[in-house]
Amino acid sequence: MLLEITGLSAHYGRIRALDNVSIEIGEGELVALVGANGAGKTTLLRVISGIRPASAGRVLFDGKDITRMPPDRRVRRGIVQVPEGRQVFAPMRVEENLLMGGYTRGAAERREALALQYERFPALAASRNKPAGMLSGGQQQMLAVARALMGKPRLLLLDEPSLGLAPRLVDEVFDTVTALRDAGVTVFIVEQNAFQALSIADRGYVMETGQVVLADTGKALLTNERVKAAYLGL
Amino acid sequence: MFTEFLQFLLSGVTVGATYALVGVGFSIIYNASQVINFAQGEFVMLGGMMAWFLFERAGLPMPAAVPLAIAGTVLVGLALEKFAIEPARNASIVTLIIITIGASIFLRGGAQLVWGRDFHALPALSGDAPIDLSGVAVNPQSLWVMGCTVVVVILLHWFFSRTMTGRAMRAVAFNMLAAQLAGVNNRLILMFSFGLSAALGALAGVLIAPITLTYPDVGIMLGLKGFCAAILGGLGYPYGAIVGGLIVGISEAMTAGYVSSAYKDAVAFVIILMTLFFMPNGLFGRRGIERV
Ligand SMILES: Nc1ncnc2c1ncn2[C@@H]1O[C@H](COP(=O)(O)OP(=O)(O)OP(=O)(O)O)[C@@H](O)[C@H]1O
Ligand SMILES: [Mg+2]
């Protein structure tokens, strides 16, 4: 297993946002996490990235216990997150945003990665000198993903990448995610858009009020009665 | 008439440049932590006092005394972050600001114990004989102050726009979460910010000491005026602090020249109050330049 989470809990003050969560992600897998507003999805990703502390449980990455490791060292090990709401560095140029994504890499490696991202996302190359805040929502999402890829992720965490995008762009985002998995990147995607996320996922988890209540293959979850009623509006 | 104006302008730009350096220091630490470091003025004092001590008492030549004084102040800045700010990292911003006020009192007290309460003069870097430029008497030290400030501003611009550490400092200022997720160690950045601010303050202190003398309490007013420069330029916007510093310095010199030097120090207070009342984000504040 690339990522192995066991019995994880996390709190905001006295509010328990994660309660005894266990999740496994294998190398090369595309795993989706779905759940309603406030279920604790973002909190889980923040604990995996080391931004929020765990109050109980363990996080193993590549067999090593990283539960107390600071966020920058996790990025160096290959855990890279595209946060909820894109969070680009608005006043900085597009190119600087990308370079920041390669912050933990050496200068030569960073240059190489930059050329690769421009090739993958030509629209970003065209606006490389614009402040990131001037891009459209869809382009900002593209930038946020490209910035994360600059870090050469072994595990890519995506927090609601389709949020607030027009339907055509949503499809584009899911196409990109599928392409990344096909290129060998392990992806853990959090989505409220449960149908599309589960459709492309190898496996999925369903979270309610801080707990994992269902775990199965993506296909099985799509036909699960409980999932259909609660998340697919069927 | 006009010569007189130029004379005032020159002295305004000279002191204004030191306020600018101090103001940039405020902005850099603010950007890394939202903390207003009220010990910033003490960095200025330490730079001047250490340079004076190393030159006059330890007998070192000026080219050794000045860099050592700056390096010594940087060490104090790093220690301040490590032993006073870092342990209280999870406390509120207000608590951290109060800690910096405590640190400033501690540093002033320490300086009095070590060096006494007297005023000291650091000799000017290239003599005191004024250069006559068509009627305007130019103090050679003024040229040093302005020249060094220009060089520092150019170096800072290069640092913030061309180096990864500089970009990381801007990234932390704009979006701490995203910077951390990109692998930036925000604690290291804060540490570095204190070191850089201390260096800028110390440089200002070394440059201005031959003009204003140096003593343990010299940092109180210089710190306040640097703060005024940072507020006026828009806190967290280093380039704004430079413009702010020049405006404060020039306003002060004009007030002293045309009204009365008794009101000189009041100018900075009036500017702080007016800025806070009428444009709390300053001339170039965050909200003005950022489209989110
Ligand atoms: N900074 C915070 N302080 C206090 N409580 C918080 C904070 N952030 C989240 N919470 C609470 O923790 C719980 C989980 O929130 P979280 O953001 O992880 O949910 P989510 O599944 O990502 O929701 P969404 O779909 O809205 O993004 C919620 O009850 C939320 O109110
Ligand atoms: Mg969320």
Side-chain angles (χ1 to χ4, degrees):
Chain A
M1 283 296 131
L2 185 59
L3 185 75
E4 230 178 310
I5 296 173
T6 34
L8 193 69
S9 297
H11 290 76
Y12 293 100
R14 272 188 307 189
I15 304 170
R16 174 151 57 191
L18 292 180
D19 182 7
N20 196 23
V21 170
S22 298
I23 277 178
E24 290 189 340
I25 299 173
E27 190 106 46
E29 268 191 311
L30 169 50
V31 177
L33 174 68
V34 299
N37 271 329
K41 306 180 298 292
T42 297
T43 306
L44 176 60
L45 291 195
R46 292 202 171 165
V47 174
I48 296 175
S49 280
I51 301 289
R52 296 284 322 168
S55 36
R58 286 199 316 170
V59 181
L60 299 189
F61 183 67
D62 213 8
K64 189 177 155 49
D65 191 336
I66 59 161
T67 317
R68 305 211 181 292
M69 189 181 276
D72 56 298
R73 286 184 47 208
R74 301 188 196 208
V75 176
R76 277 171 211 282
R77 287 182 168 267
I79 301 179
V80 184
Q81 181 179 161
V82 179
E84 192 175 39
R86 312 188 243 288
Q87 317 272 352
V88 298
F89 303 113
M92 293 168 79
R93 292 181 297 119
V94 166
E95 180 148 316
E96 290 185 295
N97 270 266
L98 291 172
L99 291 173
M100 277 311 298
Y103 183 75
T104 56
R105 308 289 153 185
E109 214 180 332
R110 195 158 45 227
R111 284 281 145 204
E112 233 170 75
L114 186 67
L116 204 73
Q117 295 316 318
Y118 281 152
E119 207 172 294
R120 201 195 300 255
F121 304 103
L124 294 181
S127 42
R128 66 211 292 170
N129 288 320
K130 271 196 207 164
M134 306 280 276
L135 300 183
S136 68
Q139 284 178 330
Q140 287 193 16
Q141 186 63 59
M142 200 188 282
L143 176 58
V145 172
R147 179 179 63 187
L149 295 178
M150 288 288 298
K152 297 245 168 94
R154 293 187 62 197
L155 171 64
L156 182 65
L157 308 171
L158 295 165
D159 197 348
E160 309 218 19
S162 76
L163 194 71
L165 296 183
R168 186 178 51 82
L169 294 172
V170 171
D171 291 344
E172 227 171 82
V173 166
F174 282 103
D175 288 346
T176 308
V177 174
T178 316
L180 289 173
R181 190 262 315 268
D182 294 343
V185 183
T186 309
V187 181
F188 187 37
I189 182 172
V190 162
E191 264 297 337
Q192 281 194 36
N193 193 335
F195 178 75
Q196 270 176 303
L198 292 173
S199 303
I200 61 168
D202 300 313
R203 290 189 302 110
Y205 291 90
V206 178
M207 195 174 222
E208 276 170 18
T209 54
Q211 293 179 315
V212 170
V213 292
L214 278 174
D216 212 327
T217 62
K219 279 202 183 60
L221 287 175
L222 273 176
T223 53
N224 181 296
E225 289 306 322
R226 192 165 159 194
V227 174
K228 273 161 111 173
Y231 303 104
L232 303 176
L234 298 174
Chain B
M1 246 306 274
F2 188 57
T3 328
E4 194 183 58
F5 174 79
L6 285 181
Q7 193 73 58
F8 296 152
L9 187 64
L10 177 73
S11 79
V13 172
T14 304
V15 288
T18 60
Y19 301 162
L21 291 175
V22 182
V24 171
F26 273 106
S27 274
I28 287 173
I29 288 178
Y30 178 82
N31 274 344
S33 61
Q34 265 79 264
V35 169
I36 297 165
N37 169 33
F38 280 106
Q40 193 67 28
E42 276 54 51
F43 294 154
V44 183
M45 177 272 289
L46 286 173
M49 292 301 274
M50 284 190 200
W52 164 78
F53 177 80
L54 291 169
F55 179 77
E56 290 286 349
R57 291 290 152 89
L60 291 178
M62 209 51 122
V66 169
L68 278 177
I70 294 174
T73 309
V74 168
L75 285 183
V76 172
L78 295 177
L80 172 61
E81 198 281 333
K82 183 80 193 159
F83 300 114
I85 302 295
E86 178 84 40
R89 194 159 34 96
N90 296 323
S92 71
I93 301 291
V94 176
T95 308
L96 294 175
I97 292 175
I98 291 169
I99 289 176
T100 70
I101 295 175
S104 80
I105 296 169
F106 173 82
L107 290 174
R108 283 204 294 278
Q112 283 183 13
L113 275 179
V114 178
W115 295 305
R117 316 185 61 120
D118 299 337
F119 287 56
H120 301 289
L122 190 67
L125 291 171
S126 37
D128 294 319
I131 304 159
D132 185 90
L133 273 182
S134 52
V136 182
V138 180
N139 181 341
Q141 189 67 21
S142 285
L143 296 178
W144 274 102
V145 174
M146 291 186 279
C148 287
T149 305
V150 169
V151 170
V152 165
V153 169
I154 292 171
L155 285 176
L156 280 176
H157 180 74
W158 170 81
F159 171 71
F160 282 120
S161 59
R162 291 279 175 268
T163 70
M164 283 314 287
T165 308
R167 290 188 182 114
M169 287 173 74
R170 283 161 63 215
V172 164
F174 296 138
N175 191 327
M176 173 78 92
L177 170 71
Q180 281 183 287
L181 290 177
V184 176
N185 181 341
N186 56 341
R187 287 158 67 182
L188 219 61
I189 292 288
L190 183 58
M191 184 110 204
F192 185 84
S193 299
F194 268 87
L196 182 57
S197 297
L200 293 173
L203 177 68
V206 169
L207 291 171
I208 203 71
I211 299 176
T212 61
L213 303 181
T214 183
Y215 48 100
D217 285 346
V218 73
I220 300 178
M221 269 302 163
L222 281 167
L224 207 116
K225 287 167 186 176
F227 176 61
C228 179
I231 292 278
L232 178 59
L235 200 54
Y237 190 58
Y239 303 117
I242 293 163
V243 177
L246 293 177
I247 294 177
V248 175
I250 293 168
S251 317
E252 220 179 75
M254 294 300 163
T255 307
Y258 290 115
V259 188
S260 156
S261 58
Y263 297 123
K264 196 184 70 149
D265 288 336
V267 172
F269 288 98
V270 172
I271 292 180
I272 290 184
L273 290 178
M274 301 270 276
T275 310
L276 292 178
F277 274 128
F278 298 112
M279 41 173 200
N281 295 320
L283 291 173
F284 312 95
R286 206 35 83 63
R287 246 138 283 181
I289 54 157
E290 194 177 3
R291 204 193 97 171
V292 185

